[in-house]
Amino acid sequence: MSSSSTEILSGMKALVARMILMQVTEHLYLSAQQLLDAEVSIEERVRSLEVLNTQMKWSNSERTRILEQLQVQIFSLISEGRRTAMDTSQYVNQLREGLIALKRRLSSMQEDISCPICLSPWNSHGRHRVVSLRCGHLFGNNCIRTAIRRFHRCPICRRRALHADVRRIFSRRLIQ
């Protein structure tokens, strides 16, 4: 939770506590008035009721003001929550786009370390070690020799290819 949300919530708690205190005070005042009513004259009762009426009007206006403040603070909390949700949504979308880009890069890397004929990864030695043709395309040794025997062309660019055009590639990073 952000610091402004915490401040708003503590302000709201203070306003609610103030309303509760006002209600308790009114209740005590009314109880005291009822005890005094039995022993005083009518004029004094009227005066005390007028004072009580004035205090009740002030309390009601104060309650209304507090409720309006609470309403404003609640709306600001809601708008901050929406802003936070939008920020989170944008962050999630950025992460999603980053993951999609990463997936594309990994797919292209997989293509770079796989034989385009059989789609198996190359080896650094053995029958499926990486080799290239004069045109520069890379293949597994066994796969390209079979393709040259059958078609006498590069399977990718269709240039003429011979067995003598097959060259072994040496690279520690390319092959593991």
Side-chain angles (χ1 to χ4, degrees), residues 114-122 128 138-144 155:
S114 299
C115 174
I117 297 173
C118 69
L119 302 178
S120 297
W122 295 305
H128 204 258
L138 302 175
F139 303 95
N141 186 47
N142 222 24
C143 295
I144 193 60

Side-chain angles (χ1 to χ4, degrees), residues 48-60:
S48 66
L49 286 174
E50 286 174 349
V51 169
L52 181 63
N53 188 25
T54 305
Q55 287 177 340
M56 289 298 180
K57 284 181 182 177
W58 177 84
S59 292
N60 285 337

Side-chain angles (χ1 to χ4, degrees), residues 11 19 26 36 47 60 62 95 100 106 146 149 159 163 168:
M19 282 186 69
E26 287 174 357
L36 292 175
R47 252 185 278 131
N60 285 337
E62 189 66 16
L95 283 176
I100 289 170
L106 287 173
T146 304
R149 208 174 309 124
R159 282 191 177 164
H163 287 286
R168 185 167 179 197

Side-chain angles (χ1 to χ4, degrees), residues 9-54:
L9 285 175
S10 62
M12 290 172 67
K13 287 178 184 177
L15 289 173
V16 169
R18 191 170 170 192
M19 282 186 69
I20 292 170
L21 183 64
M22 285 174 57
Q23 287 178 331
V24 168
T25 305
E26 287 174 357
H27 181 70
L28 290 173
Y29 189 75
L30 287 173
S31 298
Q33 279 301 118
Q34 289 174 352
L35 290 174
L36 292 175
D37 283 347
E39 302 171 1
V40 293
S41 68
I42 290 182
E43 293 86 19
E44 287 184 30
R45 280 187 191 172
V46 168
R47 252 185 278 131
S48 66
L49 286 174
E50 286 174 349
V51 169
L52 181 63
N53 188 25
T54 305

Side-chain angles (χ1 to χ4, degrees), residues 125-152:
H125 58 295
R127 296 176 63 203
H128 204 258
R129 68 178 179 257
V130 66
V131 295
S132 74
L133 292 178
R134 204 171 358 156
C135 59
H137 292 113
L138 302 175
F139 303 95
N141 186 47
N142 222 24
C143 295
I144 193 60
R145 290 195 182 276
T146 304
I148 289 173
R149 208 174 309 124
R150 288 186 184 164
F151 305 108
H152 304 288

